[in-house]
Amino acid sequence: MQRKAYVPGTAALLVALLASCTSGSADSGTTDDANPGEAGTATSVAQPGKYRTLPEPCGAVGHGTLDSLLPGIKQIADADQRETAYAGDATLTFDTDRKVGCRWKVESTDATDHLLVDFERVVSYDNAVSDAAEAQTIFATKETAADLPEPTASATASDSATPTASSSATPSSSASASASGSTSASASASASATASPTGLEPRTLSDLGDEAFLDDALSSSGSTAQQRTVTVVFRTSNVVVTIEYEEQPATVGVVPDSQKMQDRARKLAAQLADALNG
């Protein structure tokens, strides 16, 4: 049988054509045009937070504001001790770029007052989650822990404005009014002393930062002394600010005024929010 002749040129042409097809197939599998937008989605990074630094906490509250929140400061006769009281005490922190705070404690003839101001700058370590979104999660956790009551009509009306004079009754006076038709006024007074007056209940605030809430708690300390703690927490972008304002009267049976304490704490919160945005 006669064999066909082997043609080297034809074989070389076939190899070249096969190589060309293989190369084209590989290229088409990696082109970005095949799935437009997919590469951008995979490499997108969430926006960083607005704030890169935090204020010096003990210097963030002015002397005038401290005079209002801590009346005992002006009663300190010694000038050096008074300046020390104004200076406050910085809270322990391991990273001043991320979390700072300051505490004040001042005694007066009428009461002992405590103030805490805390700043937390939130940084997300997830490229898909922005710093502000992470701060929103932390704020939500704090709000949940506060266990705020369901908002009432009066609370909703007062969340964006300073409480009116009609809401300024102390817990004891509110109790007396509600107990006028009761045979046990003292029992009603005792029960109402554990809650904030109407219109001043713990609630969310719509006029402070991106989101905010206020908590107001009355508790017994020691014997029958009543201690009130007003807490205001607000978030602006990726910074969460917490204010805790406590007062314990020197006289047993005296209940700290809810409206005054809330007004003072909210005024300080507004000042800190303005300073952050300034």
PDB file of all heavy atoms in Angstrom, residues 123-146:
ATOM      1  N   VAL A 123     -14.856  53.248  63.973  1.00  0.00           N
ATOM      2  CA  VAL A 123     -14.178  52.880  62.725  1.00  0.00           C
ATOM      3  C   VAL A 123     -14.599  51.463  62.348  1.00  0.00           C
ATOM      4  O   VAL A 123     -14.493  50.546  63.156  1.00  0.00           O
ATOM      5  CB  VAL A 123     -12.650  52.949  62.878  1.00  0.00           C
ATOM      6  CG1 VAL A 123     -11.963  52.483  61.597  1.00  0.00           C
ATOM      7  CG2 VAL A 123     -12.205  54.362  63.233  1.00  0.00           C
ATOM      8  N   SER A 124     -15.086  51.301  61.143  1.00  0.00           N
ATOM      9  CA  SER A 124     -15.507  49.982  60.674  1.00  0.00           C
ATOM     10  C   SER A 124     -14.313  49.252  60.068  1.00  0.00           C
ATOM     11  O   SER A 124     -13.516  49.833  59.330  1.00  0.00           O
ATOM     12  CB  SER A 124     -16.608  50.113  59.625  1.00  0.00           C
ATOM     13  OG  SER A 124     -16.888  48.863  59.032  1.00  0.00           O
ATOM     14  N   TYR A 125     -14.188  47.975  60.390  1.00  0.00           N
ATOM     15  CA  TYR A 125     -13.121  47.162  59.816  1.00  0.00           C
ATOM     16  C   TYR A 125     -13.634  46.299  58.661  1.00  0.00           C
ATOM     17  O   TYR A 125     -12.906  45.443  58.158  1.00  0.00           O
ATOM     18  CB  TYR A 125     -12.501  46.282  60.904  1.00  0.00           C
ATOM     19  CG  TYR A 125     -11.762  47.086  61.944  1.00  0.00           C
ATOM     20  CD1 TYR A 125     -12.340  47.354  63.178  1.00  0.00           C
ATOM     21  CD2 TYR A 125     -10.495  47.613  61.684  1.00  0.00           C
ATOM     22  CE1 TYR A 125     -11.668  48.107  64.135  1.00  0.00           C
ATOM     23  CE2 TYR A 125      -9.825  48.364  62.630  1.00  0.00           C
ATOM     24  CZ  TYR A 125     -10.410  48.608  63.856  1.00  0.00           C
ATOM     25  OH  TYR A 125      -9.751  49.363  64.795  1.00  0.00           O
ATOM     26  N   ASP A 126     -14.861  46.557  58.255  1.00  0.00           N
ATOM     27  CA  ASP A 126     -15.465  45.848  57.133  1.00  0.00           C
ATOM     28  C   ASP A 126     -15.540  46.824  55.957  1.00  0.00           C
ATOM     29  O   ASP A 126     -16.196  47.868  56.055  1.00  0.00           O
ATOM     30  CB  ASP A 126     -16.859  45.350  57.526  1.00  0.00           C
ATOM     31  CG  ASP A 126     -17.494  44.490  56.450  1.00  0.00           C
ATOM     32  OD1 ASP A 126     -17.015  44.519  55.290  1.00  0.00           O
ATOM     33  OD2 ASP A 126     -18.490  43.803  56.752  1.00  0.00           O
ATOM     34  N   ASN A 127     -14.862  46.497  54.854  1.00  0.00           N
ATOM     35  CA  ASN A 127     -14.845  47.393  53.706  1.00  0.00           C
ATOM     36  C   ASN A 127     -16.228  47.651  53.126  1.00  0.00           C
ATOM     37  O   ASN A 127     -16.441  48.647  52.428  1.00  0.00           O
ATOM     38  CB  ASN A 127     -13.936  46.829  52.609  1.00  0.00           C
ATOM     39  CG  ASN A 127     -12.467  46.933  52.959  1.00  0.00           C
ATOM     40  OD1 ASN A 127     -12.078  47.753  53.787  1.00  0.00           O
ATOM     41  ND2 ASN A 127     -11.638  46.098  52.344  1.00  0.00           N
ATOM     42  N   ALA A 128     -17.165  46.751  53.419  1.00  0.00           N
ATOM     43  CA  ALA A 128     -18.515  46.914  52.885  1.00  0.00           C
ATOM     44  C   ALA A 128     -19.406  47.744  53.797  1.00  0.00           C
ATOM     45  O   ALA A 128     -20.529  48.069  53.436  1.00  0.00           O
ATOM     46  CB  ALA A 128     -19.149  45.541  52.653  1.00  0.00           C
ATOM     47  N   VAL A 129     -18.933  48.082  55.004  1.00  0.00           N
ATOM     48  CA  VAL A 129     -19.732  48.830  55.969  1.00  0.00           C
ATOM     49  C   VAL A 129     -19.017  50.145  56.291  1.00  0.00           C
ATOM     50  O   VAL A 129     -17.847  50.141  56.680  1.00  0.00           O
ATOM     51  CB  VAL A 129     -19.929  48.021  57.276  1.00  0.00           C
ATOM     52  CG1 VAL A 129     -20.742  48.820  58.282  1.00  0.00           C
ATOM     53  CG2 VAL A 129     -20.605  46.692  56.970  1.00  0.00           C
ATOM     54  N   SER A 130     -19.704  51.255  56.132  1.00  0.00           N
ATOM     55  CA  SER A 130     -19.099  52.557  56.399  1.00  0.00           C
ATOM     56  C   SER A 130     -18.947  52.782  57.901  1.00  0.00           C
ATOM     57  O   SER A 130     -19.602  52.129  58.712  1.00  0.00           O
ATOM     58  CB  SER A 130     -19.949  53.674  55.795  1.00  0.00           C
ATOM     59  OG  SER A 130     -21.177  53.792  56.492  1.00  0.00           O
ATOM     60  N   ASP A 131     -18.090  53.721  58.264  1.00  0.00           N
ATOM     61  CA  ASP A 131     -17.915  54.066  59.672  1.00  0.00           C
ATOM     62  C   ASP A 131     -19.223  54.568  60.277  1.00  0.00           C
ATOM     63  O   ASP A 131     -19.566  54.233  61.414  1.00  0.00           O
ATOM     64  CB  ASP A 131     -16.835  55.143  59.820  1.00  0.00           C
ATOM     65  CG  ASP A 131     -15.448  54.636  59.421  1.00  0.00           C
ATOM     66  OD1 ASP A 131     -15.285  53.412  59.305  1.00  0.00           O
ATOM     67  OD2 ASP A 131     -14.549  55.471  59.236  1.00  0.00           O
ATOM     68  N   ALA A 132     -19.957  55.385  59.526  1.00  0.00           N
ATOM     69  CA  ALA A 132     -21.222  55.928  60.023  1.00  0.00           C
ATOM     70  C   ALA A 132     -22.245  54.822  60.254  1.00  0.00           C
ATOM     71  O   ALA A 132     -23.004  54.844  61.232  1.00  0.00           O
ATOM     72  CB  ALA A 132     -21.772  56.973  59.055  1.00  0.00           C
ATOM     73  N   ALA A 133     -22.278  53.830  59.345  1.00  0.00           N
ATOM     74  CA  ALA A 133     -23.210  52.718  59.506  1.00  0.00           C
ATOM     75  C   ALA A 133     -22.856  51.888  60.734  1.00  0.00           C
ATOM     76  O   ALA A 133     -23.743  51.427  61.469  1.00  0.00           O
ATOM     77  CB  ALA A 133     -23.221  51.850  58.251  1.00  0.00           C
ATOM     78  N   GLU A 134     -21.563  51.696  60.979  1.00  0.00           N
ATOM     79  CA  GLU A 134     -21.137  50.956  62.159  1.00  0.00           C
ATOM     80  C   GLU A 134     -21.508  51.723  63.433  1.00  0.00           C
ATOM     81  O   GLU A 134     -21.940  51.138  64.431  1.00  0.00           O
ATOM     82  CB  GLU A 134     -19.631  50.716  62.107  1.00  0.00           C
ATOM     83  CG  GLU A 134     -19.086  49.888  63.254  1.00  0.00           C
ATOM     84  CD  GLU A 134     -19.537  48.440  63.221  1.00  0.00           C
ATOM     85  OE1 GLU A 134     -20.060  47.995  62.172  1.00  0.00           O
ATOM     86  OE2 GLU A 134     -19.361  47.748  64.240  1.00  0.00           O
ATOM     87  N   ALA A 135     -21.349  53.058  63.391  1.00  0.00           N
ATOM     88  CA  ALA A 135     -21.734  53.886  64.538  1.00  0.00           C
ATOM     89  C   ALA A 135     -23.238  53.825  64.773  1.00  0.00           C
ATOM     90  O   ALA A 135     -23.706  53.853  65.915  1.00  0.00           O
ATOM     91  CB  ALA A 135     -21.299  55.336  64.305  1.00  0.00           C
ATOM     92  N   GLN A 136     -24.004  53.732  63.699  1.00  0.00           N
ATOM     93  CA  GLN A 136     -25.455  53.610  63.821  1.00  0.00           C
ATOM     94  C   GLN A 136     -25.830  52.320  64.548  1.00  0.00           C
ATOM     95  O   GLN A 136     -26.752  52.307  65.371  1.00  0.00           O
ATOM     96  CB  GLN A 136     -26.084  53.644  62.429  1.00  0.00           C
ATOM     97  CG  GLN A 136     -27.595  53.744  62.415  1.00  0.00           C
ATOM     98  CD  GLN A 136     -28.149  53.922  61.010  1.00  0.00           C
ATOM     99  OE1 GLN A 136     -27.447  53.707  60.024  1.00  0.00           O
ATOM    100  NE2 GLN A 136     -29.399  54.325  60.913  1.00  0.00           N
ATOM    101  N   THR A 137     -25.101  51.258  64.276  1.00  0.00           N
ATOM    102  CA  THR A 137     -25.339  49.987  64.954  1.00  0.00           C
ATOM    103  C   THR A 137     -25.035  50.096  66.444  1.00  0.00           C
ATOM    104  O   THR A 137     -25.787  49.596  67.293  1.00  0.00           O
ATOM    105  CB  THR A 137     -24.486  48.875  64.317  1.00  0.00           C
ATOM    106  OG1 THR A 137     -24.834  48.731  62.937  1.00  0.00           O
ATOM    107  CG2 THR A 137     -24.695  47.555  65.035  1.00  0.00           C
ATOM    108  N   ILE A 138     -23.929  50.751  66.781  1.00  0.00           N
ATOM    109  CA  ILE A 138     -23.560  50.927  68.190  1.00  0.00           C
ATOM    110  C   ILE A 138     -24.594  51.792  68.907  1.00  0.00           C
ATOM    111  O   ILE A 138     -24.998  51.491  70.034  1.00  0.00           O
ATOM    112  CB  ILE A 138     -22.158  51.555  68.287  1.00  0.00           C
ATOM    113  CG1 ILE A 138     -21.118  50.544  67.820  1.00  0.00           C
ATOM    114  CG2 ILE A 138     -21.862  52.027  69.711  1.00  0.00           C
ATOM    115  CD1 ILE A 138     -19.710  51.072  67.785  1.00  0.00           C
ATOM    116  N   PHE A 139     -25.053  52.850  68.257  1.00  0.00           N
ATOM    117  CA  PHE A 139     -26.088  53.689  68.852  1.00  0.00           C
ATOM    118  C   PHE A 139     -27.357  52.879  69.100  1.00  0.00           C
ATOM    119  O   PHE A 139     -27.987  52.990  70.162  1.00  0.00           O
ATOM    120  CB  PHE A 139     -26.398  54.882  67.946  1.00  0.00           C
ATOM    121  CG  PHE A 139     -27.554  55.725  68.423  1.00  0.00           C
ATOM    122  CD1 PHE A 139     -27.346  56.774  69.322  1.00  0.00           C
ATOM    123  CD2 PHE A 139     -28.853  55.474  68.000  1.00  0.00           C
ATOM    124  CE1 PHE A 139     -28.404  57.541  69.779  1.00  0.00           C
ATOM    125  CE2 PHE A 139     -29.917  56.227  68.457  1.00  0.00           C
ATOM    126  CZ  PHE A 139     -29.693  57.274  69.350  1.00  0.00           C
ATOM    127  N   ALA A 140     -27.755  52.059  68.127  1.00  0.00           N
ATOM    128  CA  ALA A 140     -28.965  51.247  68.273  1.00  0.00           C
ATOM    129  C   ALA A 140     -28.842  50.291  69.450  1.00  0.00           C
ATOM    130  O   ALA A 140     -29.822  50.047  70.172  1.00  0.00           O
ATOM    131  CB  ALA A 140     -29.235  50.477  66.982  1.00  0.00           C
ATOM    132  N   THR A 141     -27.651  49.760  69.674  1.00  0.00           N
ATOM    133  CA  THR A 141     -27.432  48.867  70.813  1.00  0.00           C
ATOM    134  C   THR A 141     -27.635  49.610  72.130  1.00  0.00           C
ATOM    135  O   THR A 141     -28.261  49.099  73.063  1.00  0.00           O
ATOM    136  CB  THR A 141     -26.010  48.284  70.764  1.00  0.00           C
ATOM    137  OG1 THR A 141     -25.850  47.544  69.540  1.00  0.00           O
ATOM    138  CG2 THR A 141     -25.762  47.356  71.949  1.00  0.00           C
ATOM    139  N   LYS A 142     -27.122  50.835  72.213  1.00  0.00           N
ATOM    140  CA  LYS A 142     -27.298  51.650  73.424  1.00  0.00           C
ATOM    141  C   LYS A 142     -28.776  51.994  73.637  1.00  0.00           C
ATOM    142  O   LYS A 142     -29.280  51.967  74.765  1.00  0.00           O
ATOM    143  CB  LYS A 142     -26.472  52.936  73.314  1.00  0.00           C
ATOM    144  CG  LYS A 142     -24.968  52.722  73.380  1.00  0.00           C
ATOM    145  CD  LYS A 142     -24.228  54.035  73.211  1.00  0.00           C
ATOM    146  CE  LYS A 142     -22.721  53.845  73.357  1.00  0.00           C
ATOM    147  NZ  LYS A 142     -22.334  53.581  74.758  1.00  0.00           N
ATOM    148  N   GLU A 143     -29.467  52.315  72.562  1.00  0.00           N
ATOM    149  CA  GLU A 143     -30.888  52.667  72.677  1.00  0.00           C
ATOM    150  C   GLU A 143     -31.707  51.459  73.134  1.00  0.00           C
ATOM    151  O   GLU A 143     -32.607  51.586  73.962  1.00  0.00           O
ATOM    152  CB  GLU A 143     -31.410  53.194  71.344  1.00  0.00           C
ATOM    153  CG  GLU A 143     -32.836  53.684  71.406  1.00  0.00           C
ATOM    154  CD  GLU A 143     -33.303  54.278  70.096  1.00  0.00           C
ATOM    155  OE1 GLU A 143     -32.572  54.197  69.088  1.00  0.00           O
ATOM    156  OE2 GLU A 143     -34.422  54.829  70.063  1.00  0.00           O
ATOM    157  N   THR A 144     -31.383  50.290  72.604  1.00  0.00           N
ATOM    158  CA  THR A 144     -32.083  49.077  73.017  1.00  0.00           C
ATOM    159  C   THR A 144     -31.841  48.784  74.486  1.00  0.00           C
ATOM    160  O   THR A 144     -32.754  48.404  75.227  1.00  0.00           O
ATOM    161  CB  THR A 144     -31.633  47.885  72.157  1.00  0.00           C
ATOM    162  OG1 THR A 144     -31.920  48.154  70.776  1.00  0.00           O
ATOM    163  CG2 THR A 144     -32.342  46.613  72.586  1.00  0.00           C
ATOM    164  N   ALA A 145     -30.584  48.970  74.927  1.00  0.00           N
ATOM    165  CA  ALA A 145     -30.246  48.715  76.332  1.00  0.00           C
ATOM    166  C   ALA A 145     -30.972  49.680  77.262  1.00  0.00           C
ATOM    167  O   ALA A 145     -31.283  49.332  78.404  1.00  0.00           O
ATOM    168  CB  ALA A 145     -28.739  48.831  76.530  1.00  0.00           C
ATOM    169  N   ALA A 146     -31.270  50.891  76.793  1.00  0.00           N
ATOM    170  CA  ALA A 146     -31.984  51.872  77.616  1.00  0.00           C
ATOM    171  C   ALA A 146     -33.431  51.475  77.843  1.00  0.00           C
ATOM    172  O   ALA A 146     -34.074  51.945  78.796  1.00  0.00           O
ATOM    173  CB  ALA A 146     -31.926  53.253  76.957  1.00  0.00           C
TER     174      ALA A 146
END
